[in-house]
Amino acid sequence: MIYFPKTTNQEIINELARQKNLSSGKYDFDAVWEQLSKDFFNKCYICGDTTTSPRIEHFRPHNGGADKERKFDWHNLMLACEHCNSIKSNDYENLIDCTDERPDQHLRFAVSPVPQVGQHKIVIEQLPTSDIHIDTKNLLDEVYTGTTKCKRIGASVLVENLLEELNDFDDLIQEFQDEKNIDLLSDIGWELNRESKFTAFKRWIIRDSEIYRPLFEGLIKDKL
């Protein structure tokens, strides 16, 4: 989970206001999908993976349409994957807003090996300096572990994608270390910014390393 600045699209805001007053108004018209896909780079705002089964997610739940202000509020609409959308549901009211704050500066994202061969533990830690509500950490823990048998299968696929992406990122860093090819810095910079998958984990690989931090932390461009 990282910061995504959201476009203030007045045409969409106006159309959502119009839809709110209709008996069967829609919040998921084409322009909403297109703008969310651009703003979130076709990534789920919660897990950070590419949204192969995208959902328009209401950041604050609208309680089955009872709260029409939330249902048709452009600033309440996010792009999520099916897995994260189903886990979040209406259960988390106090999440950090990734369109207004930088979650990866409140939470540490890491992968730790466990004794079983080929097994890994996803670590989400709230930093001692952070005062955000525990809901964000709890949601992310559930996203990467699953809460039911079906959702654990979805979580295992998500973790496989994460590990593959981080292995590729590690290969890129090692290639830079071996060849000292300055041209690779732009590739590493791209991986550390919003377009790439699982950006928060990649940033914390850099922040956790005394070797990598002075070399690559300056490549993170994340202005509010």
Side-chain angles (χ1 to χ4, degrees), residues 131-154:
D131 60 356
I132 64 171
H133 195 278
I134 197 66
D135 268 5
T136 303
K137 177 193 178 322
N138 289 344
L139 172 60
L140 289 167
D141 283 339
E142 292 193 1
V143 160
Y144 288 106
T145 58
T147 53
T148 65
K149 184 174 182 179
C150 179
K151 290 174 183 174
R152 283 193 288 274
I153 293 172

Side-chain angles (χ1 to χ4, degrees), residues 27-43:
Y27 61 82
D28 57 348
F29 47 90
D30 288 350
V32 170
W33 278 109
E34 291 168 7
Q35 190 63 62
L36 288 177
S37 296
K38 290 178 182 177
D39 286 350
F40 292 93
F41 298 98
N42 292 308
K43 291 166 47 176

Side-chain angles (χ1 to χ4, degrees), residues 131-214:
D131 60 356
I132 64 171
H133 195 278
I134 197 66
D135 268 5
T136 303
K137 177 193 178 322
N138 289 344
L139 172 60
L140 289 167
D141 283 339
E142 292 193 1
V143 160
Y144 288 106
T145 58
T147 53
T148 65
K149 184 174 182 179
C150 179
K151 290 174 183 174
R152 283 193 288 274
I153 293 172
S156 68
V157 172
L158 178 64
V159 171
E160 286 179 12
N161 292 343
L162 169 62
L163 295 176
E164 181 178 353
E165 186 73 12
L166 296 186
N167 283 336
D168 289 344
F169 182 56
D170 183 66
D171 289 344
L172 178 61
I173 290 178
Q174 292 306 313
E175 184 180 357
F176 173 81
Q177 295 282 77
D178 293 342
E179 300 180 7
K180 299 297 187 292
N181 184 348
I182 300 300
D183 292 338
L184 292 175
L185 283 175
S186 62
D187 295 335
I188 295 171
W190 185 90
E191 295 288 350
L192 293 172
N193 287 289
R194 298 186 188 103
E195 297 93 329
S196 78
K197 299 193 295 184
F198 304 111
T199 315
F201 286 91
K202 295 172 183 175
R203 289 177 177 179
W204 274 100
I205 287 173
I206 301 306
R207 291 169 179 154
D208 280 339
S209 169
E210 292 187 4
I211 296 174
Y212 295 162
R213 195 184 314 120

Side-chain angles (χ1 to χ4, degrees), residues 29-121:
F29 47 90
D30 288 350
V32 170
W33 278 109
E34 291 168 7
Q35 190 63 62
L36 288 177
S37 296
K38 290 178 182 177
D39 286 350
F40 292 93
F41 298 98
N42 292 308
K43 291 166 47 176
C44 173
Y45 83 98
I46 298 173
C47 70
D49 199 1
T50 302
T51 52
T52 54
S53 298
R55 298 289 185 272
I56 293 179
E57 151 76 16
H58 287 83
F59 182 65
R60 308 291 184 201
H62 58 79
N63 301 316
D67 190 331
K68 295 191 76 172
E69 293 299 324
R70 286 184 174 184
K71 184 176 180 179
F72 293 95
D73 179 5
W74 166 241
H75 299 290
N76 196 42
L77 303 181
M78 307 285 209
L79 191 70
C81 67
E82 182 179 14
H83 174 71
C84 291
N85 178 254
S86 65
I87 288 178
K88 176 178 174 288
S89 188
N90 295 331
D91 297 333
Y92 296 93
E93 281 271 7
N94 299 293
L95 298 176
I96 187 171
D97 185 349
C98 70
T99 66
D100 189 53
E101 297 189 70
R102 291 177 284 193
D104 64 301
Q105 295 200 351
H106 291 270
L107 299 163
R108 175 176 175 265
F109 295 74
V111 178
S112 296
V114 294
Q116 291 84 357
V117 176
Q119 299 295 308
H120 295 82
K121 179 182 179 182

